[in-house]
Amino acid sequence: MTLPTAIFILAAAFLTATLSGVFGMAGGLVLMGALALVLPVSAAFVTHGILQLVANGWRALLHRRHVRWDIVGWYALASLIAGVLVSLAAFTPSKPFLFLMLGLVPWLTWLPAGWLKLDAARPHQAFASGFLVTGLNLMAGVAGPLLDIFFVRTELTRHAIVATKAATQVFAHLAKIIVYGAPLLVGARDADMPPLWLFALAIPLSMAGTWCGGLILERMSDVNFKRWTRWIVTAVGVLYLIQAAQLLMAGS
């Protein structure tokens, strides 16, 4: 791995963790695209899973008093089932497909409120969110906007939303690490992964970024929190659709 690539990944780890610390999902979307630009797909999935596992786990720990553990329990059970099914299918997306999915996922935030009346506080919907979000996470690398649909219409505060979503995403990213990491460990493609020293630097940077994001979150209102989340992920999605189109045209 070249030094510019390593610096790029480290900067992305810090900045996207800060973004996630504020909005709970936008950072993961940006980080997945950044990693896919410089790493093979499987290595990008595992690297993203490790960094986001740490960032989300640290965020959940920082805001642990706000976590709704009943929601997390149902989500974790469904996440396990989804991980097993995708693992059996042995699915690995191509880069054009990955960017296409990354570009389409944010548009889920614009679904009219009357179409889907979802509430993660209800046990059966918490289970559904775990199955659907983890499944999409394993196909597109991220699923924050889909997860947000289950939370944005709840009566939870912004602190409870960020904390509970962070706790649930620990299981989604753990599934991604296992599903895509196992073939890398047993095959000849382990050289595609970043070196261990990069993770040793990126993990504390992700934790620092999460802490910085928490400071910004304290200064935001619930209204601005939900409004900015939608616009940020949509703008990122447009950029990913452009990238997908460029990759498809280059390959044709």
Side-chain angles (χ1 to χ4, degrees):
M1 175 171 292
T2 64
L3 182 59
T5 299
I7 293 175
F8 175 80
I9 292 176
L10 292 175
F14 174 79
L15 294 174
T16 56
T18 301
L19 195 59
S20 283
V22 180
F23 298 106
M25 69 171 178
L29 183 68
V30 176
L31 180 61
M32 187 67 231
L35 292 173
L37 288 174
V38 296
L39 295 174
V41 171
S42 292
F45 268 72
V46 178
T47 302
H48 182 271
I50 294 173
L51 295 180
Q52 286 290 287
L53 176 66
V54 172
N56 281 281
W58 180 240
R59 185 161 62 252
L61 182 62
L62 289 176
H63 302 284
R64 59 187 178 277
R65 68 182 182 276
H66 300 290
V67 174
R68 282 284 302 271
W69 293 108
D70 56 326
I71 297 175
V72 175
W74 285 109
Y75 185 101
L77 176 60
S79 185
L80 173 63
I81 296 173
V84 170
L85 292 177
V86 175
S87 179
L88 293 175
F91 172 79
T92 301
S94 64
K95 278 203 175 184
F97 179 84
L98 175 59
F99 278 104
L100 177 62
M101 292 295 292
L102 287 173
L104 293 176
V105 165
W107 296 97
L108 292 169
T109 62
W110 293 96
L111 288 176
W115 286 18
L116 295 173
K117 296 182 179 180
L118 302 176
D119 186 348
R122 300 176 179 178
H124 67 285
Q125 293 194 18
F127 182 90
S129 70
F131 185 82
L132 295 174
V133 172
T134 300
L136 182 59
N137 211 321
L138 291 170
M139 293 179 62
V142 294
L146 177 58
L147 179 64
D148 191 57
I149 293 176
F150 287 89
F151 280 88
V152 75
R153 297 180 180 92
T154 67
E155 296 182 356
L156 301 177
T157 66
R158 66 186 185 280
H159 294 90
I161 290 175
V162 169
T164 305
K165 285 169 63 176
T168 62
Q169 289 307 281
V170 166
F171 296 96
H173 293 302
L174 185 60
K176 188 161 52 182
I177 294 170
I178 295 173
V179 170
Y180 288 98
L184 292 178
L185 291 176
V186 300
R189 294 177 294 167
D190 55 347
D192 293 337
M193 287 292 297
L196 292 178
W197 63 262
L198 189 141
F199 287 104
L201 293 175
I203 287 174
L205 283 173
S206 294
M207 295 171 69
T210 300
W211 178 77
C212 291
L215 295 179
I216 299 173
L217 179 65
E218 291 296 329
R219 298 177 177 271
M220 296 185 67
S221 67
D222 286 342
V223 174
N224 287 332
F225 166 77
K226 293 176 181 179
R227 179 194 305 154
W228 280 105
T229 299
R230 176 182 292 184
W231 284 107
I232 289 174
V233 298
T234 300
V236 173
V238 170
L239 294 177
Y240 287 155
L241 289 176
I242 295 174
Q243 178 67 16
Q246 291 175 340
L247 289 172
L248 288 172
M249 288 188 294
S252 61

